[in-house]
Amino acid sequence: MKTFKLVELSVIDEEMRRQDIPFIDGLIINKEDGQNRWLVEAYLDDDYEPMFASLKEQPEFQLQVTITNPGNDPANMLVAVRSITKMNGHISVLMEGLMIPRRTHLAEVVLAGLVEKGLQGEALLKEFRQQMDERHSARTRNDQKR
């Protein structure tokens, strides 16, 4: 198994809207089991307990995580909540799931968010290109630093 630092966490709902989840600390583990299964653990404020308790009732949901460096492209996952542990005003949420193809999905999530904001036509196209370029530029800058 390989363990990585979790740096960003978002839940994607059925309408492809992204909700960023602020967390205190987190990690993601590649189980290296030949089935591309991963574990995600996030330590966060207990205000999020009702949300994750509701998600635990679902067989699976979409999650978007950024691993190791904020400049990395987000990875998309299909996960299930395995446990929620209460800890002095905080919770630890353990999720397990599979990585799903990210390039196409990332574009869909960005586009859905812009449509949700009411953008259309040229304004939609301009903002979509800008957000995709920003993600690519951040990744390129981080790759050059290595």
Side-chain angles (χ1 to χ4, degrees), residues 1-4 29-38:
M1 290 198 268
K2 291 183 184 172
T3 303
F4 303 91
I29 301 169
N30 182 345
K31 293 179 77 171
E32 295 184 328
D33 60 0
Q35 297 176 5
N36 201 23
R37 292 187 320 173
W38 293 69

Side-chain angles (χ1 to χ4, degrees), residues 32-109:
E32 295 184 328
D33 60 0
Q35 297 176 5
N36 201 23
R37 292 187 320 173
W38 293 69
L39 294 172
V40 178
E41 184 173 20
Y43 181 66
L44 40 109
D45 192 276
D46 65 359
D47 291 344
Y48 288 93
E49 184 178 4
M51 176 185 168
F52 282 97
S54 174
L55 289 169
K56 188 175 182 182
E57 300 300 315
Q58 297 180 23
E60 59 188 17
F61 62 96
Q62 290 187 44
L63 193 68
Q64 193 173 69
V65 297
T66 303
I67 303 168
T68 307
N69 186 314
N72 290 342
D73 284 342
N76 298 293
M77 302 182 72
L78 203 52
V79 301
V81 174
R82 294 294 178 225
S83 68
I84 301 171
T85 306
K86 296 180 185 185
M87 304 175 161
N88 299 325
H90 296 90
I91 58 172
S92 174
V93 179
L94 180 65
M95 296 164 278
E96 181 177 20
L98 301 171
M99 290 287 178
I100 55 178
R102 72 176 162 185
R103 289 281 181 203
T104 301
H105 187 73
L106 172 62
E108 289 173 3
V109 169

Side-chain angles (χ1 to χ4, degrees), residues 2-36:
K2 291 183 184 172
T3 303
F4 303 91
K5 177 83 172 151
L6 184 66
V7 294
E8 291 179 4
L9 175 69
S10 303
V11 172
I12 310 297
D13 69 14
E14 292 84 21
E15 284 102 39
M16 302 299 287
R17 291 182 300 223
R18 188 176 99 183
Q19 180 181 354
D20 294 335
I21 307 297
F23 60 94
I24 298 162
D25 203 3
L27 53 91
I28 182 164
I29 301 169
N30 182 345
K31 293 179 77 171
E32 295 184 328
D33 60 0
Q35 297 176 5
N36 201 23

